[in-house]
């Protein structure tokens, strides 16, 4: 819940008219006094700039519904009765699970569909030519081993595993090993993925070479590790496969590496005119491209979801497989 703390602080500061410190801890009694009506003052202010819009209004939102949904989820995680839907009769439960807040989000989504809301800021999928061009720029114009070898290897790993950048920068060296059944493969596990909550959510997955040298994760990993280990003393101190900072702490070092890569993408590559013609790109664009490419090459949706570690409803017997 640490990542949600700023959202709670912002809401409580608004409702109480007090500028709370970032590390302020609220008691269960204080949180238990929150009701849907109080919460709606803040959510309405976020959505329309007005805490109490008139009934039956036709105001245009100033935020995306996805932003409100995220903040709803964040506040919900702190509620004493987190799992309990709000009961309008007894006035108990989780106030974020109220009809009023759900109706607000539904209203905002309708406005977005009708082009009366805020335009989507979602990053689009990177295209095959753009992916190859990004690798070319990194290798040709990079002024460090991280640019020339590290980020291309991480991109290929991210593409191959259909992973988020967060997943890739948190991979440990010990989690890249030879495959125990096929000598020409490696295997890895991404146990820091967003959807990983227990060990079986992060199984060992095959890492397969490619006949295309631009995409080949084996070649790019081998090159990166050889250069990194031979030229950087920090390689002996870190447990990370992709260490783009001198911080070996887990998970802090991986977070710093992620930010370093995102900064390179945003400041040195994706802001170039050749990438900006059809919408914004970001580090998540690689995962979107990998997901689409997987389906375009004949994989079923279930196969893609398993590879990308997306949550799916499973059978009891799945835990044995």
């Amino acid at each position: 819940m640490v990542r949600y703390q700023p959202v709670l602080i912002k809401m409580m500061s608004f409702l109480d008219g007090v500028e709370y410190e970032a590390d302020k801890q609220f008691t269960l009694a204080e949180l238990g006094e929150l009701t849907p009506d109080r919460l709606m003052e803040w959510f309405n202010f976020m959505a329309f700039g007005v805490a109490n819009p008139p009934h039956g209004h036709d105001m245009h939102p100033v935020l995306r519904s996805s932003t409100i949904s995220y903040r709803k989820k964040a506040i919900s995680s702190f509620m004493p009765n987190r799992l309990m839907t709000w009961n309008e009769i007894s006035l108990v439960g989780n106030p974020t699970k109220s009809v009023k807040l759900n109706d607000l989000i539904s209203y905002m989504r309708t406005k977005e569909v009708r082009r009366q809301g805020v335009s989507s800021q979602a990053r689009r999928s990177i295209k095959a030519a753009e992916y190859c061009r990004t690798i070319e720029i990194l290798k040709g114009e990079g002024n460090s081993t991280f640019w020339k070898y590290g980020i291309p290897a991480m991109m290929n790993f991210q593409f191959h595993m259909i992973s988020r950048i967060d997943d890739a920068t948190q991979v440990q060296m010990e989690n890249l090993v030879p495959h125990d059944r096929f000598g020409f493969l490696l295997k890895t596990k991404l146990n820091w993925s967003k959807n990983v909550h227990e060990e079986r959510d992060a199984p060992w997955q095959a890492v397969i070479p490619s006949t295309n040298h631009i995409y080949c994760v084996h070649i790019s990993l081998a090159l990166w590790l050889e250069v990194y280990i031979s030229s950087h003393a920090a390689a002996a101190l870190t447990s990370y496969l992709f260490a783009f900072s001198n911080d070996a702490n887990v998970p802090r070092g991986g977070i710093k590496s992620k930010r370093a890569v995102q900064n390179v993408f945003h400041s040195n590559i994706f802001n170039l005119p050749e990438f900006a013609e059809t919408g914004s790109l970001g580090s998540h664009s690689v995962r979107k491209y990998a997901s689409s490419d997987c389906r375009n090459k004949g994989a079923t949706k279930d196969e893609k979801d398993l590879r990308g570690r997306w949550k799916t409803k499973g059978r009891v017997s799945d835990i044995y497989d």
Side-chain angles (χ1 to χ4, degrees):
M1 294 195 296
V2 175
R3 70 182 186 275
Y4 294 145
Q5 181 74 11
V7 180
L8 178 66
I9 295 295
K10 187 176 292 185
M11 184 192 74
M12 295 299 285
S13 296
F14 175 86
L15 294 178
D16 296 345
V18 177
E19 194 67 30
Y20 290 116
E21 297 292 333
D23 58 353
K24 166 70 175 176
Q25 299 296 314
F26 297 96
T27 66
L28 290 179
E30 290 174 316
L31 295 173
E33 293 177 358
L34 293 172
T35 64
D37 287 339
R38 287 202 72 199
L39 262 61
M40 286 304 297
E41 292 182 16
W42 184 65
F43 280 106
N44 279 326
F45 184 78
M46 292 292 103
F48 307 111
V50 179
N52 294 290
H55 180 72
H57 70 85
D58 190 36
M59 301 174 70
H60 293 186
V62 296
L63 280 181
R64 292 285 295 180
S65 61
S66 57
T67 302
I68 296 297
S69 294
Y70 173 81
R71 293 177 182 177
K72 170 187 173 181
K73 177 183 176 182
I75 299 301
S76 178
S77 68
F78 293 96
M79 295 298 100
N81 297 310
R82 181 166 59 94
L83 302 178
M84 184 178 179
T85 302
W86 181 260
N87 189 312
E88 292 288 353
I89 305 298
S90 58
L91 302 181
V92 295
N94 183 344
T96 68
K97 295 186 176 182
S98 68
V99 172
K100 292 179 180 178
L101 186 48
N102 289 336
D103 285 348
L104 170 63
I105 295 172
S106 178
Y107 173 88
M108 295 177 71
R109 287 173 177 164
T110 300
K111 285 291 187 182
E112 289 164 2
V113 170
R114 295 173 179 173
R115 306 290 184 183
Q116 295 179 315
V118 177
S119 299
S120 174
Q121 301 299 309
R123 302 299 192 222
R124 66 174 175 86
S125 170
I126 195 170
K127 299 175 183 176
E130 292 172 327
Y131 183 92
C132 294
R133 176 62 178 145
T134 300
I135 298 288
E136 180 183 8
I137 292 173
L138 288 167
K139 289 183 175 181
E141 301 178 15
N143 55 8
S144 70
T145 56
F146 303 125
W147 272 57
K148 295 175 73 71
Y149 309 110
I151 299 178
M154 192 217 69
M155 284 181 63
N156 283 345
F157 184 88
Q158 187 186 355
F159 175 83
H160 188 69
M161 302 305 299
I162 318 181
S163 82
R164 298 177 177 85
I165 187 173
D166 312 60
D167 309 340
T169 55
Q170 288 291 350
V171 171
Q172 311 290 301
M173 288 272 197
E174 65 181 13
N175 283 342
L176 182 70
V177 298
H179 201 286
D180 47 4
R181 291 182 60 192
F182 305 101
F184 57 93
L185 302 183
L186 299 172
K187 65 177 182 178
T188 191
K189 63 166 61 177
L190 281 69
N191 50 0
W192 281 85
S193 294
K194 182 179 178 181
N195 293 330
V196 171
H197 302 293
E198 52 184 287
E199 288 189 9
R200 67 184 180 189
D201 292 336
W204 287 102
Q205 295 180 269
V207 180
I208 307 168
S210 170
T211 54
N212 186 330
H213 70 92
I214 295 175
Y215 288 84
C216 185
V217 67
H218 280 213
I219 292 175
S220 55
L221 276 175
L223 184 58
W224 155 241
L225 290 175
E226 181 174 348
V227 173
Y228 176 59
I229 293 172
S230 63
S231 60
H232 290 267
L237 304 176
T238 185
S239 63
Y240 283 118
L241 181 61
F242 302 107
F244 304 142
S245 81
N246 292 325
D247 193 335
N249 177 273
V250 178
R252 192 174 60 224
I255 294 172
K256 289 183 178 179
S257 292
K258 177 194 74 171
R259 290 172 180 166
V261 175
Q262 288 177 324
N263 183 58
V264 170
F265 283 154
H266 296 158
S267 302
N268 302 93
I269 298 178
F270 293 157
N271 62 337
L272 297 175
E274 61 186 293
F275 292 98
E277 294 180 357
T278 56
S280 299
L281 289 169
S283 54
H284 204 64
S285 299
V286 174
R287 192 183 200 209
K288 291 184 176 182
Y289 168 43
S291 177
S292 299
D293 188 68
C294 186
R295 291 285 277 135
N296 289 337
K297 290 180 177 175
T300 66
K301 184 177 183 298
D302 287 341
E303 289 169 339
K304 181 204 70 175
D305 287 351
L306 282 169
R307 184 63 171 178
R309 298 157 307 286
W310 275 290
K311 282 289 185 182
T312 56
K313 288 187 176 181
R315 296 180 293 271
V316 175
S317 64
D318 288 344
I319 65 174
Y320 299 103
D321 298 336

